[in-house]
Amino acid sequence: MNNARLEILGCYVDNLNMQETLVRIGELIESGMPNQHVVINADKVVKADKDPELRQIINDCALINADGMPVVWASKLLGIPLKERVAGVDLFVELMRYSAEQGWRVYFLGAKEEVVKGVVDKFTAQYPNLQIAGYRNGYWSAGEEQSVVDAITLSKTDLLFVAISSPKKEQFLGKYQSQMKVPFAMGVGGTFDVMVGKTQRAPVWMQKTGFEWFYRFLQEPRRMFKRYFIEDMYFFVLLGKAVFAKAMGKS
């Protein structure tokens, strides 16, 4: 398996396709050691460039996939092409099936109470053998945080899915993974909302052509405008600098 770890605009990415990613996750779970997974997209690359602590958390993860098509395109422009995009939503769905088959225990953390409960109900109905280690909504005070961590630790879960926004989920896992000792912890952002139909995923053609972000914007224009049209534009500045530096290095 060609699982070379590449560096793209300051963030590491493992050059794995979906099947290779699932195999690697199985290895991490079998290790019994605490491991963190992360996906990167344009937004996360921009945030990591501005926040060295976040970049270090990302780059220290045991498994890193490229979720966004712009990252895949950037890899090609930089001459280090990734095999494919491994979207977090798709990986989450595959891991539900895989966990039921393997007998792995799963824990769901994040989103509103009715949403996370809906995710549990959806997948226990679909996979009766799926073992639920526990679940909790994503709203707690600073004083409650340690109790959240303790509950996850006591659950002895094999997989933890954290559906809170970036960079909070990366920071939460970066801070507590060594204590919780979860073999595979994965931040899944808004995936729970997609699973219960609260938000809709873009059509496949938009996913493949890199316009999934625009479909998301159309659903939540007020909330997503600043992210997509102001903050994330810096991704192309970073890419331009990297392409220029590569060209100058060849000349």
Side-chain angles (χ1 to χ4, degrees):
M1 182 189 300
N2 177 17
N3 59 349
R5 177 160 281 196
L6 310 177
E7 182 177 348
I8 300 174
L9 306 181
C11 289
Y12 293 151
V13 190
D14 292 310
N15 195 12
L16 304 174
N17 61 28
M18 176 64 80
Q19 188 55 44
E20 291 167 341
T21 295
L22 291 170
V23 170
R24 179 60 180 145
I25 290 170
E27 293 170 350
L28 294 175
I29 291 173
E30 288 300 314
S31 78
M33 301 296 291
N35 296 286
Q36 185 175 343
H37 169 273
V38 70
V39 294
I40 64 166
N41 52 25
D43 184 69
K44 206 163 291 180
V45 168
V46 169
K47 284 183 168 64
D49 183 74
K50 299 178 187 237
D51 184 345
E53 182 180 350
L54 174 62
R55 182 172 63 246
Q56 191 63 54
I57 290 172
I58 291 170
N59 288 344
D60 284 345
C61 285
L63 181 59
I64 308 169
N65 289 121
D67 183 288
M69 282 305 298
V71 176
V72 176
W73 294 335
S75 74
K76 294 177 180 179
L77 285 171
L78 295 171
I80 46 173
L82 289 165
K83 293 176 182 177
E84 67 180 21
R85 174 195 184 199
V86 180
V89 175
D90 296 331
L91 181 57
F92 174 79
V93 172
E94 285 294 303
L95 284 172
M96 291 300 98
R97 174 186 61 80
Y98 207 30
S99 294
E101 291 175 356
Q102 298 295 322
W104 294 334
R105 292 165 57 79
V106 298
Y107 196 108
F108 305 93
L109 176 68
K112 294 182 178 179
E113 182 69 21
E114 63 270 22
V115 170
V116 66
K117 178 63 164 58
V119 172
V120 172
D121 292 343
K122 173 184 173 73
F123 285 104
T124 51
Q126 187 171 352
Y127 301 111
N129 292 331
L130 185 64
Q131 297 186 42
I132 306 298
Y135 69 92
R136 193 200 191 284
N137 66 59
Y139 298 87
W140 61 79
S141 66
E144 294 174 312
E145 186 157 278
Q146 187 58 53
S147 66
V148 173
V149 172
D150 291 342
I152 295 168
T153 305
L154 291 171
S155 76
K156 302 294 184 184
T157 190
D158 296 303
L159 298 94
L160 168 65
F161 300 100
V162 183
I164 55 181
S165 61
S166 291
K168 291 181 181 178
K169 62 178 177 288
E170 289 83 12
Q171 292 166 343
F172 176 83
L173 291 173
K175 183 176 181 179
Y176 293 113
Q177 248 296 64
S178 60
Q179 179 180 338
M180 296 186 296
K181 294 182 172 61
V182 179
F184 182 77
M186 174 183 178
V188 294
T191 295
F192 291 180
D193 287 342
V194 174
M195 291 298 104
V196 301
K198 185 177 179 182
T199 57
Q200 299 298 317
R201 197 170 181 201
V204 173
W205 72 266
M206 295 186 85
Q207 297 175 35
K208 290 183 176 179
T209 55
F211 282 96
E212 191 166 9
W213 67 271
F214 188 66
Y215 192 84
R216 175 84 183 277
F217 164 72
L218 291 177
Q219 293 182 77
E220 299 181 275
R222 286 189 178 181
R223 191 168 80 87
M224 305 308 294
F225 179 85
K226 182 179 178 182
R227 168 177 166 175
Y228 289 136
F229 290 97
I230 299 176
E231 295 173 350
D232 288 1
M233 289 299 104
Y234 190 64
F235 175 85
F236 299 101
V237 174
L238 294 173
L239 179 56
K241 288 180 179 178
V243 170
F244 180 77
K246 181 176 183 293
M248 290 299 98
K250 285 186 176 181
S251 60

